[in-house]
Amino acid sequence: MPCCLPDDTYPTIECAVSPAQSKPANPFTKEKSRIASLVLEDGTELKGVSFGAETSVTGEAVFQTGMVGYAETLTDPSYRGQILVFTYPEIGNYGVPPDDKDDFGISKYFESDKIQVAGVIVRNYVDDYSHW
C-alpha cells in the first residue's frame, strides 16, 4: 500500500472492511480468509485480507495518524462516507470501550452513536484484544 495518495486519487474498495463488529471470528485463518482489493482511480489494484462485512464501497481515502482513539475516529462524523486508512500498524489491540455516558447523556468514548466511515484499511487487524 502506498504511503500517500495524490490529492485527486479516490480509491474504490471492491471488498470493504466494516468496523461494526467488535470481535469477529479470526479473519486470518485459511478457511475464513477473504481476499479484498483496493482499486485506485488509475487502475492500480492492491490485494489484502478482508474482515467484517462483505460489501463494496466507493469513497475518498483519508489517513488517520493517531496511535490511539480508533473508536472515537470511527464514529467521528467528519469521516462520514470516507475510507479511513489507519497509519498506526495495529488496530484493535485494546478493544472497544463501553458506551458509557456522562452526566449530560453524552458518550464518553464515541463521537456519535454509529460508525461513520464507509470502510477501513489497516496494516494489522488484531481480533484478540486485551485490557490486561
Side-chain angles (χ1 to χ4, degrees):
M1 169 167 261
C3 64
C4 56
L5 298 171
D7 291 341
D8 61 347
T9 303
Y10 297 95
T12 301
I13 291 187
E14 295 297 329
C15 183
V17 174
S18 171
Q21 298 175 341
S22 61
K23 192 171 171 74
N26 186 343
F28 299 108
T29 59
K30 287 184 180 179
E31 61 274 9
K32 302 251 187 221
S33 291
R34 297 182 305 226
I35 301 301
S37 296
L38 173 65
V39 182
L40 304 180
E41 187 176 56
D42 69 358
T44 302
E45 185 173 353
L46 305 164
K47 299 273 188 195
V49 176
S50 175
F51 62 94
E54 289 189 57
T55 186
S56 294
V57 297
T58 301
E60 175 185 19
V62 296
F63 293 81
Q64 203 282 340
T65 60
M67 293 175 63
V68 296
Y70 52 82
E72 294 86 345
T73 304
L74 294 171
T75 58
D76 187 335
S78 70
Y79 291 113
R80 181 170 301 154
Q82 295 176 321
I83 299 168
L84 188 59
V85 181
F86 286 100
T87 61
Y88 191 70
E90 289 193 345
I91 298 297
N93 54 333
Y94 64 82
V96 177
D99 191 16
D100 293 344
K101 309 281 190 220
D102 66 13
D103 294 338
F104 302 101
I106 298 172
S107 178
K108 290 182 178 181
Y109 307 109
F110 302 105
E111 298 298 313
S112 68
D113 62 350
K114 64 180 181 177
I115 302 296
Q116 300 289 337
V117 299
V120 172
I121 299 172
V122 298
R123 169 70 177 105
N124 184 29
Y125 171 75
V126 177
D127 74 334
D128 189 22
Y129 60 84
S130 172
H131 291 290
W132 285 277

